Amino acid sequence: MGSLLIKNGIVVTATGTTAADVLVRGSRVVAIVASADDLGLTADRTVDAAGRLVIPGGVDVHTHMELPFGGTFAADTFETGTRAAAWGGTTTIVDFAVQTKGESAMDGYERWMAKAEGECAIDYGFHMITGDINEQTLKEMDMLVDEGVTSFKMFMAYPGLFYSDDGEIVLAMQKAAENGSVIAMHAENGIAIDVFVNQALARGETDPIYHGLARKSVLEGEATHRSIRLAEVTGATLYIVHLSAVEALDEVIRARDEGRKVFAETCPQYLFLDLEDLGNGFEGAKYVCSPPLRDRAAGHQRRLWRGLQTNDLQVVSTDHCPFCMGNHHTFGTQKQLGRDNFAAIPNGMPGVENRMELIFDGGVGQGRISVNRFVEITATAPAKMFGMFPQKGTIAVGSDADIVILGPNRTHTISAETHHMDVDYSAYEGRKVTGKVEVVMSKGKVIIEDGQYLGAKGDGEYLRRGHSMML
Ligand code: URP
Ligand code: ZN
Ligand code: ZN
């Protein structure tokens, strides 16, 4: 691969904003200088970034390509989902390999590696969902860390599916404390929630809105509290995934104020959408995810933005897990599985393509966060949290040349008509955003330019991640 010079742009990292030229040789950044011309630096190709921001490619540490859920599979494959991510300015994902009950964790990891191998448009890593904690799994957690899987997702939700009880969580946390990995927790009290779900269904309350009403925010707060205390007694590093509720945020703030190794992410759906989206009859199925969208009037959204401002929340990821409203061409019936029973609607929403532009517009554009904080929460902090920094998440000499050129004043409208995710609706249909991803480079190769995808499946390589740098 040759060399490439990005000229005349404003280079933005988590720590600074400068007018600079960026020289890329092969897959890496080799120089960042005030003026390439003054130094006589040239390259095989020049990209003019005048009037635009030059930012690190986005790092989305929570996606579910092809996730099996509720009798179907998340609609995006590793091929379609990573390509859509690239269109939206994300150049690295960390997806979730799954260990099912009775299966070895290593076998689950190998299965997911085989699904992704040769398919991805951008670099990818894996967390491991530990669905069966036993002596063998605990040993395999060490083997997985050696493979670059340095984080394990556990579920206090979904009894009978991915659920782990407190004893299993303690065992996994003890192992994580020993081998330096991170426990990523889905913190909702699934046992209590299922009582409310079954009571609602018994009353004939079958519409998607009851998904939101049954999964009470206080039960997210309770599970967050419990997981923090279990991390405290085991010494584990804890990362709360898809945090949606004030009650959970308050627990994270308290733990962080106590100096604990507790971190958390939220997702665009909790920052832009709310409980009302779950209304309107079965249309609300588009927005069924867990934790559910929350009541705006109760202040959840406002507090989440505040949490991002104060660094009580460190990361915005997507939890991209799309299911079609109609039938998917490969995976068949999706959201319709829950037409008469909200509990049978596959949980999850599309979003991997929208995260960077939504957060730029709603965060920087609306004056909630600086452009540097935008880069931090969408690229730098996730790369640090999950052991990929400084290879990923920044623009620095020696880093991978995963670079996005973003037009800060270009306005466009999000729509399923124009998106690239393999799903038949957009959760943000008709939303006008200012700030457009125009050029995307992955390891020095221009993969998006002039509204064209120039990459190929298999460009993306497996990332053997290191330990978290947030400790
Ligand atoms: O509704 C969601 N979040 N679906 C994906 C699985 C998970 O819990 O992250
Ligand atoms: Zn989850
Ligand atoms: Zn998820």
Side-chain angles (χ1 to χ4, degrees):
M1 209 186 286
S3 57
L4 187 149
L5 188 56
I6 306 167
K7 286 180 79 173
N8 309 318
I10 306 292
V11 178
V12 183
T13 66
T15 51
T17 307
T18 27
D21 298 338
V22 180
L23 181 62
V24 172
R25 223 174 254 136
S27 63
R28 301 267 173 99
V29 173
V30 294
I32 304 166
V33 296
S35 165
D37 288 346
D38 287 359
L39 293 171
L41 295 179
T42 56
D44 301 336
R45 204 196 141 180
T46 298
V47 176
D48 184 17
R52 295 177 290 169
L53 306 179
V54 180
I55 62 173
V59 178
D60 187 347
V61 291
H62 192 152
T63 66
H64 298 282
M65 309 307 173
E66 304 177 38
L67 179 76
F69 198 108
T72 185
F73 291 82
D76 265 318
T77 59
F78 281 91
E79 180 187 358
T80 63
T82 56
R83 195 165 58 215
W87 275 102
T90 286
T91 51
T92 302
I93 61 161
V94 185
D95 203 273
F96 291 82
V98 179
Q99 175 203 24
T100 50
K101 202 109 203 125
E103 182 186 35
S104 116
M106 284 307 287
D107 286 353
Y109 164 69
E110 299 291 355
R111 273 198 302 128
W112 253 260
M113 287 290 278
K115 282 177 199 255
E117 171 79 45
E119 296 293 316
C120 294
I122 55 172
D123 286 356
Y124 60 96
F126 286 116
H127 311 278
M128 186 82 218
I129 290 176
T130 46
D132 194 355
I133 293 296
N134 53 45
E135 260 180 45
Q136 188 193 336
T137 303
L138 295 173
K139 284 196 195 111
E140 287 176 321
M141 285 173 72
D142 288 335
M143 295 158 74
L144 284 161
V145 167
D146 293 340
E147 294 291 319
V149 178
T150 52
S151 41
F152 298 89
K153 183 173 179 188
M154 306 199 74
F155 289 80
M156 301 168 100
Y158 307 140
L161 186 57
F162 299 129
Y163 176 81
S164 294
D165 67 25
D166 288 359
E168 291 165 328
I169 291 169
V170 164
L171 288 169
M173 283 184 168
Q174 285 174 331
K175 173 53 76 179
E178 194 185 297
N179 69 21
S181 59
V182 172
I183 296 292
M185 187 63 78
H186 181 136
E188 283 187 293
N189 184 329
I191 300 283
I193 284 170
D194 274 6
V195 172
F196 291 107
V197 167
N198 291 330
Q199 288 173 346
L201 292 172
R203 286 193 295 271
E205 296 169 350
T206 60
D207 274 356
I209 186 71
Y210 297 105
H211 170 82
L213 297 173
R215 304 185 82 92
K216 297 174 191 309
S217 59
V218 72
L219 294 176
E220 186 183 340
E222 185 280 325
T224 304
H225 171 84
R226 193 157 28 101
S227 63
I228 288 169
R229 294 307 152 197
L230 297 180
E232 179 184 343
V233 293
T234 55
T237 298
L238 179 66
Y239 179 82
I240 304 291
V241 294
H242 47 44
L243 188 148
S244 74
V246 165
E247 292 89 337
L249 178 59
D250 283 340
E251 295 294 342
V252 169
I253 291 173
R254 181 148 71 104
R256 291 178 62 78
D257 287 350
E258 290 168 358
R260 307 206 179 282
K261 293 177 292 181
V262 173
F263 306 89
E265 66 177 21
T266 190
C267 311
Q269 52 270 38
Y270 305 119
L271 295 166
F272 294 100
L273 306 174
D274 65 37
L275 187 63
E276 277 191 19
D277 291 296
L278 281 163
N280 195 18
F282 195 69
E283 275 298 285
K286 290 176 178 170
Y287 302 96
V288 166
C289 61
S290 294
L293 303 181
R294 299 296 186 192
D295 182 5
R296 193 181 294 246
H300 299 284
Q301 226 172 61
R302 186 180 48 78
R303 286 288 313 283
L304 294 181
W305 278 111
R306 180 106 192 91
L308 289 170
Q309 289 161 345
T310 56
N311 201 37
D312 289 309
L313 296 172
Q314 296 76 43
V315 170
V316 176
S317 66
T318 58
D319 195 9
H320 174 76
C321 191
F323 297 100
C324 290
M325 283 296 276
N327 289 342
H328 183 263
H329 53 84
T330 305
F331 299 127
T333 317
Q334 305 222 290
K335 293 281 187 185
Q336 298 298 332
L337 288 164
R339 166 120 334 246
D340 303 314
N341 171 1
F342 70 83
I345 300 170
N347 282 206
M349 287 174 44
V352 75
E353 189 172 349
N354 306 126
R355 178 184 69 128
M356 299 294 280
E357 290 169 347
L358 281 170
I359 300 299
F360 185 81
D361 179 58
V364 183
Q366 301 296 310
R368 290 176 168 121
I369 53 173
S370 69
V371 72
N372 309 98
R373 182 66 180 152
F374 160 71
V375 166
E376 187 166 27
I377 62 182
T378 57
T380 315
K384 286 182 178 171
M385 184 71 227
F386 290 108
M388 297 174 282
F389 184 85
Q391 181 186 353
K392 304 294 185 188
T394 193
I395 298 177
V397 171
S399 294
D400 280 358
D402 289 359
I403 296 174
V404 168
I405 301 178
L406 184 140
N409 303 315
R410 255 183 80 182
T411 295
H412 64 113
T413 302
I414 297 175
S415 174
E417 298 278 298
T418 47
H419 76 199
H420 302 85
M421 298 175 284
D422 188 15
V423 58
D424 60 0
Y425 75 95
S426 170
Y428 304 97
E429 187 67 40
R431 182 180 286 264
K432 220 172 176 187
V433 290
T434 301
K436 175 110 185 71
V437 169
E438 295 184 0
V439 180
V440 179
M441 291 165 211
S442 169
K443 290 176 296 182
K445 176 174 173 178
V446 176
I447 58 171
I448 302 284
E449 192 177 32
D450 296 331
Q452 306 269 348
Y453 174 64
L454 306 171
K457 73 177 192 165
D459 280 349
E461 293 170 300
Y462 175 65
L463 281 168
R464 206 173 275 272
R465 294 181 295 116
H467 288 300
S468 177
M469 290 116 180
M470 298 280 262
L471 307 182

